[in-house]
Amino acid sequence: MTVRKEQLRSHLEYLSLFETELPWPSANPTVRSQRDPRELRVLPGAGEPLPRSLAEYEQAICNCQRCALGATRTKFVFADGNPRARIVFVGEAPGHDEDLQGLPFVGRAGQLLNQLLAGVGLSRKDVYICNVLKCRPPGNRDPQPVEVATCRPYLMTQLSILNPDLLVCLGRHAAMALLQTDAVMRDLRGRVIPWHGLQILVTYHPAYFLRSMNQLYLGEQDFRKLRELYDALPA
Ligand code: URA
């Protein structure tokens, strides 16, 4: 009896430490069946102590007014997808549709992202999707350096809680914000870059493919590489 109580207590402590959300109802191999209690990677720039869950963190920051975008946004866009995913996509910033719905990649670029995922047997439920900026820049202009610097700790905290294995930068702004590089996309795209114990794959932003459909084969190549990297991950 005592042993069972002890086991139950330690199981509850485990759950409260790593996950307060319900387990994702999936037997899908892209999803961890249990949060891996191995070393948590607290990424440089993340707020410490780490919040206990993504849901808790979203609640804590969703009324942010740290930069001017707080005054012009309709909705704060935290993320979409599976909080237990091993693959995380990072885009640039919410656009018009995302700002209205409060979810990332729900417009045309999002539909193309869904197609690219489906092409390698994945769906949004298998991955986690977020952006460098959580609020829409007016008129979809490029993020300003001060906005990226202000919002980056949110992303680093989010990624630290998620603890993914693979991170996909969708476009130049995501690559610049995470890798802190000025390298051009031509040099980064398709490369797998080790980063704080995980792997980053850089590809073009889906909006780029919408403008240049003849380049879509590059995105398809990158997603095939992503699938290979995923399949090679230890269980
Ligand atoms: N483009 C992005 O970078 N992010 C979104 O959420 C939508 C479009």
Side-chain angles (χ1 to χ4, degrees), residues 132-179:
V132 174
L133 296 190
K134 309 297 184 223
C135 302
R136 182 191 184 202
N140 296 349
R141 62 159 169 72
D142 281 355
Q144 291 176 354
V146 65
E147 294 160 353
V148 174
T150 309
C151 222
R152 194 172 183 273
Y154 289 162
L155 178 62
M156 299 305 269
T157 307
Q158 201 173 15
L159 294 175
S160 299
I161 302 169
L162 275 158
N163 196 20
D165 297 290
L166 298 170
L167 215 156
V168 183
C169 289
L170 295 172
R172 190 170 64 92
H173 289 283
M176 285 193 318
L178 288 174
L179 297 167

Side-chain angles (χ1 to χ4, degrees), residues 91-95 98 104-105 109 131 205:
E92 177 181 325
E98 292 76 19
F105 285 97
N131 282 307
H205 194 286

Side-chain angles (χ1 to χ4, degrees), residues 77 90-99 103-110 124 129-133 140 170 205-207:
V77 181
V90 181
E92 177 181 325
H96 174 262
D97 298 303
E98 292 76 19
D99 177 59
L103 290 169
F105 285 97
V106 288
R108 284 181 63 228
R124 289 171 82 102
I129 305 173
C130 58
N131 282 307
V132 174
L133 296 190
N140 296 349
L170 295 172
H205 194 286

